Amino acid sequence: MAKVLIDISMSLDGYVAGPDDDVERLHDWLFSGEHVVSRANSTFRATETDAEIIRESFETTGAVIMGRRTFNLGDEPWGAEPAFQVPCFVLTHHARDTETRGETTFTFVTDGIENALDQAKAAAGDKNVTIMGANAAQQYLEAGLVDELQIHLVPVLLGDGTRLFEDTGTRQIRLERTRAIESPDVAHLRFRVVR
Amino acid sequence: MAKVLIDISMSLDGYVAGPDDDVERLHDWLFSGEHVVSRANSTFRATETDAEIIRESFETTGAVIMGRRTFNLGDEPWGAEPAFQVPCFVLTHHARDTETRGETTFTFVTDGIENALDQAKAAAGDKNVTIMGANAAQQYLEAGLVDELQIHLVPVLLGDGTRLFEDTGTRQIRLERTRAIESPDVAHLRFRVVR
């Protein structure tokens, strides 16, 4: 059964993007090492520990859900052959035909987050459904539909930008930390949502 | 030379207190283990790892700075013999005589955070000046006067309350993670501010 996972890089002060959607500092750890992970036309260069995390992420992801804004921001940098290589579902209010880029498909879902999740779970099989971007993460958290979080905690205070945990509801959500993998530039912290 | 340290428990979503200043969940790790740390009239009961962190904190703290609000909230629970047992400096706009409770003194500083820091450093000697509470932490961070942060990261999403990193300025502050100590209920993450 597919698990629903939020997987995102976050600054110590809680931002998943800086001002002007700048994620460069937060994604430094993906591009500043010597161990290469290649996928489609994308190349990541990380420390040995971090490269293992990147590899694991690709191997365990069966489908991706993202907001329209994340899609718009990513579409150009991801290029003609995005590294996802799994079915991606984009939450949007505007109907649009499914698009195929290399081995990645983008399906635009207009009838709500639960419907998108049903489609993503069906596509993911036994692998995870990964939620990308702050807005989608907030919606799925608030709806109580998230099973796990993997936060790549980056040692920086950005001071401004897009917060991951904003408008997630005022209900307390209990977590269990299930893993902590440290590397000099980032701490990969994994949590299970306790129901 | 005294270092200036922010030392605080924080939820994964960035809160250092929940609604109505509730810190019970965030301070669980101080009271839910079997290893006892006693100090004045206070008794902490933590896991072996966490008890070591508590002991270290008392041993390395030479003075404390806090906001008026933190003092007002803490005054009653801390009781007649607070566990600090070091000089404490309270940032306030209202002059008030120094008060002594057991081996702890509270000096009320009305002429700004730099003055309070000078007094605290003089009192701390070679030990650390610890900044307590979100508001004081924010002021010292924004002023660029903080040397280190120790965040006791608690696996919970509170959804509402007082954020640690709010109004800290929009300047990016580079950190170096210098230590990470894990225990099941909390991750003690230590950072150095890179100047």
Side-chain angles (χ1 to χ4, degrees):
Chain A
M1 181 65 184
K3 277 190 225 147
V4 180
L5 172 74
I6 291 171
D7 190 311
I8 200 159
S9 296
M10 183 177 93
S11 66
L12 182 64
D13 57 346
Y15 295 101
V16 293
D20 303 319
D21 300 307
D22 183 3
V23 291
E24 195 176 320
R25 174 64 193 93
L26 295 174
H27 290 179
D28 258 0
W29 68 273
L30 294 158
F31 301 104
S32 54
E34 297 188 340
H35 290 258
V36 173
V37 181
S38 290
R39 175 114 167 164
N41 282 348
S42 298
T43 302
F44 304 91
R45 291 171 199 279
T47 67
E48 187 171 1
T49 301
D50 297 340
E52 199 44 57
I53 294 281
I54 299 170
R55 261 183 232 110
E56 178 191 59
S57 171
F58 282 122
E59 281 163 15
T60 57
T61 299
V64 172
I65 297 177
M66 66 186 78
R68 171 63 187 259
R69 192 170 153 70
T70 297
F71 173 76
N72 283 356
L73 289 168
D75 199 13
E76 194 181 301
W78 295 333
E81 292 193 35
F84 299 111
Q85 302 192 314
V86 295
C88 294
F89 298 87
V90 182
L91 307 169
T92 175
H93 295 292
H94 302 284
R96 178 166 161 179
D97 288 340
T98 294
E99 298 183 15
T100 301
R101 314 258 161 86
E103 295 181 43
T104 301
T105 56
F106 293 97
T107 300
F108 299 85
V109 182
T110 55
D111 52 357
I113 65 169
E114 300 201 11
N115 231 300
L117 185 55
D118 287 344
Q119 291 185 57
K121 280 188 169 176
D126 286 337
K127 295 189 172 181
N128 292 331
V129 174
T130 299
I131 312 288
M132 269 188 75
N135 190 270
Q138 287 156 13
Q139 291 187 63
Y140 282 98
L141 266 178
E142 189 172 7
L145 295 170
V146 174
D147 297 309
E148 291 190 32
L149 296 95
Q150 177 152 274
I151 305 294
H152 310 284
L153 194 70
V154 178
V156 67
L157 302 179
L158 292 181
D160 195 11
T162 305
R163 285 192 194 273
L164 176 57
F165 298 109
E166 193 97 90
D167 306 319
T168 52
T170 55
R171 187 172 40 95
Q172 184 169 314
I173 299 175
R174 286 175 57 211
L175 305 174
E176 177 194 356
R177 203 187 63 243
T178 53
R179 198 173 74 172
I181 295 175
E182 316 285 341
S183 80
D185 298 329
V186 59
H188 309 282
L189 305 175
R190 194 146 175 157
F191 303 89
R192 184 176 71 80
V193 174
V194 179
R195 293 224 166 77
Chain B
M1 180 67 184
K3 277 191 227 151
V4 180
L5 172 73
I6 292 172
D7 190 310
I8 200 160
S9 296
M10 184 177 90
S11 65
L12 182 64
D13 56 348
Y15 295 101
V16 293
D20 302 320
D21 299 307
D22 184 2
V23 291
E24 196 177 320
R25 175 64 192 90
L26 295 174
H27 290 179
D28 258 0
W29 66 273
L30 294 158
F31 301 104
S32 53
E34 297 189 340
H35 290 259
V36 173
V37 181
S38 291
R39 175 114 169 163
N41 283 348
S42 298
T43 303
F44 303 91
R45 292 171 197 278
T47 67
E48 187 171 359
T49 301
D50 297 340
E52 199 43 58
I53 294 280
I54 299 170
R55 259 182 233 113
E56 179 192 59
S57 173
F58 282 123
E59 281 163 15
T60 57
T61 299
V64 172
I65 297 177
M66 66 185 77
R68 172 62 185 260
R69 192 169 154 70
T70 298
F71 173 75
N72 283 355
L73 288 168
D75 198 13
E76 193 182 303
W78 295 334
E81 292 193 36
F84 300 110
Q85 301 193 315
V86 295
C88 294
F89 298 87
V90 182
L91 306 169
T92 175
H93 295 293
H94 301 285
R96 179 167 160 177
D97 288 340
T98 294
E99 297 183 14
T100 302
R101 315 256 160 86
E103 295 181 42
T104 301
T105 55
F106 293 98
T107 299
F108 299 84
V109 182
T110 56
D111 53 357
I113 65 170
E114 301 201 11
N115 231 299
L117 186 55
D118 287 343
Q119 290 186 57
K121 279 188 169 177
D126 287 337
K127 295 189 172 182
N128 292 332
V129 174
T130 299
I131 313 288
M132 268 189 77
N135 190 269
Q138 287 156 13
Q139 291 187 62
Y140 282 98
L141 267 178
E142 190 173 6
L145 296 171
V146 174
D147 298 308
E148 292 189 33
L149 296 94
Q150 177 152 275
I151 305 293
H152 310 284
L153 194 69
V154 178
V156 67
L157 302 179
L158 293 182
D160 195 12
T162 305
R163 284 192 195 275
L164 176 57
F165 299 109
E166 193 98 270
D167 307 318
T168 52
T170 55
R171 189 172 36 98
Q172 183 169 313
I173 299 175
R174 286 176 57 212
L175 304 174
E176 177 195 356
R177 202 186 64 240
T178 53
R179 197 172 75 171
I181 296 176
E182 315 286 340
S183 79
D185 297 329
V186 59
H188 309 282
L189 304 175
R190 193 144 177 160
F191 303 89
R192 185 176 70 80
V193 175
V194 179
R195 294 223 166 79

